[in-house]
Amino acid sequence: MSSLLQREREIIVKNEYIDRFDFDEVEDFIKGASKDLFISHKFKTSSEMLVQPRGGFPTYDKVFQLYKEFKDANVDVLPLTIDSNTRLNDYASAKKMLALSEENDVDMLNGYPLVNHGYRTTRKMITHYNTPVSLRHGTPDARLLVETALASGIFEIEGGPITYLLPYSKNFPMDKAFLYWKYVERVCAKYSELNEPINRESFGPLSATLQAPAIVIVIQILEMLLSLEEGVKSFSVSFSQTGSMLQDIVSSNVIKKLSRKYADQFGHNDATINLVYHQWMGAFPYNKEYSDSLINTSTVIAAMVGADKIITKTRNEAFGIPTKEANALAVANVKYTLGMLKGVPQVSDEEEEENLTNEVDEILEAVFNDKADTLWRKVFNSIKKGYIDIPFSPHIINANEVITIRDPESNIRILKKGNLPISDKSFAFEQSKIKLAEGERVVDKIIKDIGIML
Amino acid sequence: MSKLFIDIGSTYFKVAQDGKIDQYFRDFNKNILDDLNSKCSDIISGYKKEDINICSSANGGLSTLIIGLTNSFSLTYAINIAFNSGINIIDTVLYPKIESEPVPSEEIDVVIVVGGIDSVEKIFDEKLLNYLEKVNYQNIVYVGSAKNRGFLEENLENVVVLENIISDKLKIQEDALKGYLTDLYQADIVGKEDIKQLYEITSNQIFSTPYIVNRSLPKINERLDVADPFIVVDIGGATTDIHYSRDLVNDNIISESGYDRLVFKKLGVYKSRDSLVHTAKNNEFVFELLEHLNVTENILEEQSEKATRTLMQLAIFLVLYKVSKHHGQYVELNLDILNSIVLTGGITKVLTQEEVDDIVLFFYKKILQFHHAPTTLLDSNYEIWTYGIQ
């Protein structure tokens, strides 16, 4: 008799919008797939930082053209951004909007409805370009989407039960998100045994609004552990540009050090951990020259933090979804800048590193001390208790008690710690850096800090 | 040492030990304990009192009337907690309209009054007292704004005041009310001699069966071929219970369990048969369904095995219809993303897997215009409850 997981998979793929799903054929395909499709292989064999843009259109043809532009710009990793209806498992609306997009040559979706296109069709495009593709979605229940992606030849899956829920959803039940992602991890682990490992990547930017590095790193490590405990062997932790070069460098040093430490501590010494850096994820300036400058600066920081992969933005960011030409230009420019940044000196700030390390350790200790018998439930309970609290998360389970603002050097600091289980010493360090101008209201400062790049 | 689990139902009881479940039809000429002993005293005598766990739906459960200030928060939250505690809701009253609301004729075990976050005052006044004077109730509990507690305590004898179920951030706080209702169920059992006698064989608390079933749901897909999100449908003689995965609804309730319960009071195939037939006749799709089943409308008036089977098939259809987007009620489930349907209770003894699949597919084709339906599973061994009682 097949395993319980396999029996659940059989139910998941029996869906109104799926043609017959042939697990045996998919397994054969992954076994024999070109190693060039695996980003885990590319990480292993490349000495340079990989460059990945963002992008996705509703129709097959437009994505095909987008990939062509990207390949011409010498991209390392192709993105496949999924539309919002699919993210919410609303395949019926996605189907209608896809039909309208195809008939009228107008984009009625903000991404590629992968489930509706199906794996047989999509695989043709993925294997044609023979380049790693990263699945970007934001789906709490990504089981069917990920089955379809893997069957298509997409061997990097972004997201996780925390990072694809709390920043994106208002009321999707969190315990379900944990269980649905456990399924995803298990399927990724299973396929990892057939060829090169499937790479899982967490989404560090969170709500992309004044995220305290300690919270980001805690969540990255927890999602990594949840993934590795199911058998995943290649994982990318990530964070986005904070707006302070120093804080980015400190964050990268701490996330690299602690993700390895905790992976080893939990017995996952054989797992590969990569670092991904997102260019500025907050509000972009309307002045395109300023955007160019911001993008260039973040490319320099990515080189300084020693990222394994950078995810790019475009100068059109403030105006909507970029054209394929603008997107390809951004990739070419980032590649050009990176070419100049060889042998960047290592810098850091010991005091800042020590404090950030302490904060992360303190929060994780509280999470691990929760009385639940499984890691996912410890994390779930910790979120309910506000030990993990993401500023500006729309989700009703998020405590929303933590308030963050910038210090005079633009570092993001914790002004109100809510229930974050950090020590008085760590909190005092945060407080010591904050300087509010006389009479300045916190809310005004927050608004100013959010719009720091405008 | 293994444990013995016993579920006392209205028509038969089930005894589970070491994964083996036996079912016995109730002998209504005997009280429950005598009946149980006459059929399985050998089994029971092999266990200590602390190793025997019992749940029961035989005493009908508790009935409640909920009076709330708003539909969005007070009533929604209180209904959710009451259902998940295994309570039957007789009626709900929206407080601003209380003067024109009818008064339930039956005796109510517990009235729940709720409204406002703690900072809101002067919500309830004489109108509440005037209404309650006409209600025949046993207990009353207040779980609303702290600033209104004084008014209720001064004017209502024996009112129990608990933590507000609505937090200052408008989130649900279910623990206090859920605990109270579960304890009250216990007291209700104690008041019913038939069930009370069962304490001669167990030293553990006797819970209501729906509460136990609800507790078992997170464990179902570890043991059965079921994929979340799923629903469990228990079509009984008098009522129909649905337990559903919370990602099928779009509301703002975060409760401890990932599953909620909903009860259709007058949807059963025996005691509520007339009501079921009435509902069926008023459904525009039912005649097509009867044609699909190759029977005529006359079958609804018959008393035969064939008629019972047809009624059960109709019940499955009507339950799905009532929770679908075509029927805006307290709860609307997103059936488009449903992966599995589990059927439990007496219906699994009557209908075959093919008959169930046929009805579910008919519903999905006819109502949702799908070509595909969720997988179905019959809990023929009626074992789901054993996962929750352990």
Side-chain angles (χ1 to χ4, degrees):
Chain A
M1 193 177 183
S2 57
S3 68
L4 193 59
L5 172 66
Q6 187 54 36
R7 300 203 303 275
E8 187 180 354
R9 295 177 73 194
E10 303 277 357
I11 296 173
I12 295 300
V13 300
K14 271 184 203 140
N15 186 285
E16 176 75 9
Y17 300 94
I18 292 279
D19 286 341
R20 199 178 67 81
F21 204 98
D22 187 342
F23 281 113
D24 292 337
E25 190 276 335
V26 171
E27 231 178 271
D28 286 345
F29 161 68
I30 294 176
K31 252 184 219 163
S34 159
K35 297 212 180 298
D36 293 337
L37 288 175
F38 291 84
I39 192 172
S40 60
H41 180 69
K42 193 122 186 165
F43 278 135
K44 257 190 295 190
T45 53
S46 173
S47 57
E48 294 187 346
M49 190 189 306
L50 307 183
V51 178
Q52 179 197 305
R54 294 181 155 82
F57 292 106
T59 63
Y60 181 94
D61 289 345
K62 277 204 169 176
V63 175
F64 197 91
Q65 290 307 315
L66 175 72
Y67 283 3
K68 187 174 180 311
E69 290 278 348
F70 281 147
K71 286 296 286 181
D72 291 346
N74 199 22
V75 77
D76 300 302
V77 185
L78 293 164
L80 190 64
T81 301
I82 301 301
D83 70 287
S84 300
N85 291 298
T86 303
R87 292 173 184 216
L88 298 171
N89 309 107
D90 182 1
Y91 311 120
S93 299
K95 184 181 175 184
K96 275 183 220 156
M97 294 301 149
L98 172 61
L100 284 173
S101 305
E102 283 169 342
E103 281 164 21
N104 304 318
D105 202 25
V106 176
D107 295 336
M108 299 298 287
L109 292 166
N110 58 355
Y112 185 78
L114 174 59
V115 170
N116 298 94
H117 282 289
Y119 72 84
R120 292 178 179 87
T121 307
T122 308
R123 190 192 288 173
K124 285 180 203 157
M125 175 160 57
I126 307 295
T127 49
H128 172 82
Y129 286 105
N130 198 32
T131 299
V133 178
S134 181
L135 185 75
R136 326 299 291 185
H137 48 124
T139 317
D141 178 6
R143 292 171 297 173
L144 181 59
L145 179 66
V146 169
E147 290 280 12
T148 314
L150 293 168
S152 305
I154 298 169
F155 298 143
E156 175 171 89
I157 309 294
E158 192 195 39
I162 311 168
T163 60
Y164 264 14
L165 184 79
L166 296 185
Y168 286 96
S169 167
K170 180 184 171 193
N171 53 12
F172 191 93
M174 186 153 210
D175 49 348
K176 290 295 165 63
F178 277 110
L179 297 175
Y180 295 160
W181 274 94
K182 193 182 268 290
Y183 172 108
V184 169
E185 309 295 5
R186 286 177 178 173
V187 172
C188 288
K190 188 176 156 62
Y191 283 148
S192 293
E193 292 167 0
L194 303 178
N195 197 325
E196 295 292 324
I198 306 296
N199 190 66
R200 285 274 297 108
E201 182 179 312
S202 182
F203 179 65
L206 301 176
S207 67
T209 313
L210 294 180
Q211 299 300 306
I215 296 171
V216 172
I217 296 172
V218 161
I219 292 171
Q220 292 303 292
I221 290 172
L222 289 171
E223 284 201 344
M224 175 193 75
L225 292 175
L226 287 165
S227 185
L228 300 187
E229 77 172 4
E230 300 301 336
V232 168
K233 297 294 177 199
S234 180
F235 194 91
S236 300
V237 291
S238 73
F239 70 100
S240 61
Q241 185 177 2
T242 59
S244 152
M245 184 183 280
L246 175 68
Q247 200 159 39
D248 286 349
I249 291 167
V250 168
S251 293
S252 78
N253 290 342
V254 174
I255 199 171
K256 279 193 261 190
K257 178 177 69 183
L258 293 186
S259 55
R260 187 71 261 169
K261 174 186 137 182
Y262 282 103
D264 292 348
Q265 197 173 306
F266 279 72
H268 307 302
N269 312 60
D270 59 343
T272 305
I273 304 168
N274 316 292
L275 177 64
V276 172
Y277 183 75
H278 291 252
Q279 291 187 333
W280 178 248
M281 292 287 284
F284 256 66
Y286 282 93
N287 181 321
K288 291 188 180 179
E289 281 72 33
Y290 289 174
S291 288
D292 289 339
S293 175
L294 173 56
I295 289 168
N296 263 327
T297 306
S298 71
T299 309
V300 172
I301 297 172
M304 293 185 78
V305 305
D308 298 301
K309 183 174 87 172
I310 182 170
I311 303 179
T312 61
K313 287 280 190 179
T314 75
R315 69 200 314 253
N316 290 3
E317 182 68 22
F319 303 94
I321 296 174
T323 60
K324 61 182 192 303
E325 291 80 9
N327 222 330
L329 183 66
V331 170
N333 285 344
V334 167
K335 282 252 169 192
Y336 175 77
T337 306
L338 284 175
M340 290 186 281
L341 295 164
K342 310 285 185 194
V344 178
Q346 299 281 307
V347 289
S348 190
D349 181 313
E350 279 184 23
E351 194 188 17
E352 290 279 358
E353 251 189 70
E354 187 191 340
N355 191 66
L356 183 55
T357 303
N358 289 343
E359 287 178 356
V360 173
D361 282 338
E362 286 156 6
I363 298 171
L364 285 174
E365 188 185 355
V367 175
F368 297 146
N369 281 340
D370 184 88
K371 287 194 173 67
D373 58 346
T374 56
L375 179 58
W376 79 262
R377 203 169 269 286
K378 284 175 193 283
V379 181
F380 180 42
N381 290 342
S382 299
I383 290 168
K384 284 194 283 188
K385 286 187 276 197
Y387 290 178
I388 298 168
D389 184 349
I390 299 177
F392 300 98
S393 159
H395 202 283
I396 56 174
I397 203 169
N398 193 66
N400 278 322
E401 295 290 345
V402 170
I403 294 178
T404 48
I405 57 172
R406 292 184 186 277
D407 70 14
E409 275 75 48
S410 297
N411 298 296
I412 298 165
R413 301 295 182 188
I414 299 169
L415 176 70
K416 266 185 69 185
K417 74 183 180 94
N419 289 331
L420 282 189
I422 56 173
S423 66
D424 292 345
K425 184 183 163 205
S426 301
F427 189 44
F429 182 86
E430 296 278 334
Q431 298 281 296
S432 70
K433 303 288 180 182
I434 296 170
K435 302 276 183 295
L436 277 169
E438 202 178 326
E440 186 177 24
R441 294 191 314 160
V442 170
V443 66
D444 295 330
K445 177 81 169 85
I446 289 172
I447 292 167
K448 201 166 84 184
D449 288 346
I450 291 171
I452 187 174
M453 299 300 178
L454 296 178
Chain B
M1 178 68 186
S2 64
K3 303 238 177 196
L4 181 69
F5 306 130
I6 301 171
D7 175 28
I8 311 293
S10 54
T11 48
Y12 51 100
F13 51 78
K14 299 123 224 163
V15 177
Q17 54 171 342
D18 298 327
K20 182 174 168 289
I21 299 167
D22 295 307
Q23 298 175 47
Y24 304 90
F25 275 98
R26 289 266 308 273
D27 177 352
F28 294 100
N29 295 317
K30 292 179 178 163
N31 70 39
I32 294 172
L33 183 61
D34 289 345
D35 194 14
L36 203 54
N37 275 328
S38 70
K39 283 162 181 151
C40 38
S41 61
D42 288 353
I43 299 172
I44 292 168
S45 61
Y47 290 86
K48 292 183 200 157
K49 283 176 90 169
E50 57 267 31
D51 291 325
I52 297 178
N53 287 288
I54 300 177
C55 61
S56 167
S57 54
N59 62 333
L62 282 175
S63 61
T64 189
L65 168 74
I66 303 172
I67 301 171
L69 184 62
T70 64
N71 274 320
S72 318
F73 294 101
S74 319
L75 286 178
T76 301
Y77 288 4
I79 290 170
N80 183 276
I81 296 170
F83 273 147
N84 287 343
S85 308
I87 307 289
N88 297 323
I89 298 169
I90 297 296
D91 211 346
T92 58
V93 173
L94 191 61
Y95 187 66
K97 295 179 178 172
I98 197 165
E99 287 171 305
S100 57
E101 290 283 344
V103 177
S105 53
E106 58 264 70
E107 183 180 334
I108 305 289
D109 290 316
V110 56
V111 175
I112 301 170
V113 183
V114 55
I117 56 173
D118 279 345
S119 55
V120 182
E121 51 191 345
K122 293 183 181 163
I123 296 171
F124 298 105
D125 53 22
E126 290 296 321
K127 292 199 292 290
L128 176 69
L129 307 179
N130 295 338
Y131 183 83
L132 286 173
E133 255 181 28
K134 294 176 269 180
V135 180
N136 179 12
Y137 63 88
Q138 292 289 313
N139 304 281
I140 182 162
V141 58
Y142 176 67
V143 285
S145 161
K147 290 203 169 167
N148 283 257
R149 285 173 185 162
F151 174 78
L152 278 96
E153 282 171 329
E154 280 164 28
N155 293 290
L156 292 167
E157 206 180 335
N158 299 329
V159 66
V160 173
V161 174
L162 299 174
E163 180 192 39
N164 194 343
I165 60 171
I166 310 169
S167 78
D168 288 349
K169 287 187 172 179
L170 295 174
K171 291 182 182 175
I172 190 169
Q173 303 184 131
E174 60 179 352
D175 291 350
L177 180 60
K178 200 169 183 177
Y180 169 80
L181 293 174
T182 318
D183 289 348
L184 202 60
Y185 178 82
Q186 175 81 356
D188 184 56
I189 285 175
V190 172
K192 290 177 179 167
E193 282 301 317
D194 221 17
I195 303 279
K196 186 181 171 185
Q197 289 176 342
L198 292 172
Y199 281 105
E200 288 178 22
I201 59 169
T202 182
S203 56
N204 297 308
Q205 181 170 350
I206 300 172
F207 289 101
S208 81
T209 305
Y211 175 76
I212 292 296
V213 170
N214 197 264
R215 231 168 54 168
S216 73
L217 301 182
K219 297 171 188 164
I220 284 186
N221 56 5
E222 292 167 13
R223 302 180 189 215
L224 302 173
D225 290 351
V226 168
D228 244 316
F230 62 82
I231 59 173
V232 174
V233 183
D234 184 352
I235 298 174
T239 59
T240 288
D241 276 32
I242 289 194
H243 301 262
Y244 56 92
S245 179
R246 285 208 49 78
D247 45 335
L248 293 170
V249 290
N250 182 26
D251 64 24
N252 294 328
I253 296 176
I254 294 262
S255 56
E256 268 304 305
S257 163
Y259 302 89
D260 278 348
R261 171 178 173 246
L262 173 65
V263 179
F264 293 109
K265 287 184 298 194
K266 294 181 178 169
L267 207 66
V269 286
Y270 296 112
K271 282 186 190 167
S272 307
R273 185 190 171 107
D274 292 347
S275 161
L276 172 64
V277 169
H278 177 77
T279 309
K281 283 183 174 173
N282 282 297
N283 186 294
E284 63 180 289
F285 298 100
V286 159
F287 292 97
E288 286 174 80
L289 174 58
L290 292 173
E291 191 182 345
H292 174 76
L293 295 173
N294 202 22
V295 293
T296 66
E297 189 190 347
N298 295 333
I299 194 119
L300 300 177
E301 315 301 333
E302 288 178 17
Q303 297 286 340
S304 63
E305 193 197 322
K306 173 80 178 162
T308 304
R309 298 172 87 82
T310 306
L311 273 180
M312 285 183 169
Q313 287 174 294
L314 279 179
I316 294 172
F317 179 86
L318 290 172
V319 164
L320 291 174
Y321 186 80
K322 276 173 178 280
V323 295
S324 74
K325 59 189 168 196
H326 298 275
H327 193 269
Q329 266 210 338
Y330 159 66
V331 165
E332 177 188 314
L333 303 184
N334 183 0
L335 298 176
D336 293 16
I337 61 166
L338 187 65
N339 279 320
S340 302
I341 299 174
V342 182
L343 287 153
T344 187
I347 199 165
T348 63
K349 299 285 169 208
V350 179
L351 296 183
T352 63
Q353 181 78 49
E354 291 70 33
E355 286 170 325
V356 169
D357 285 343
D358 184 41
I359 287 300
V360 172
L361 187 59
F362 177 86
F363 173 85
Y364 267 78
K365 278 185 173 171
K366 182 62 67 181
I367 306 298
L368 304 183
Q369 282 84 50
F370 274 37
H371 300 95
H372 162 91
T375 58
T376 62
L377 188 138
L378 299 187
D379 178 30
S380 308
N381 201 22
Y382 203 35
E383 64 181 79
I384 287 173
W385 63 278
T386 62
Y387 312 156
I389 202 167
Q390 292 172 39

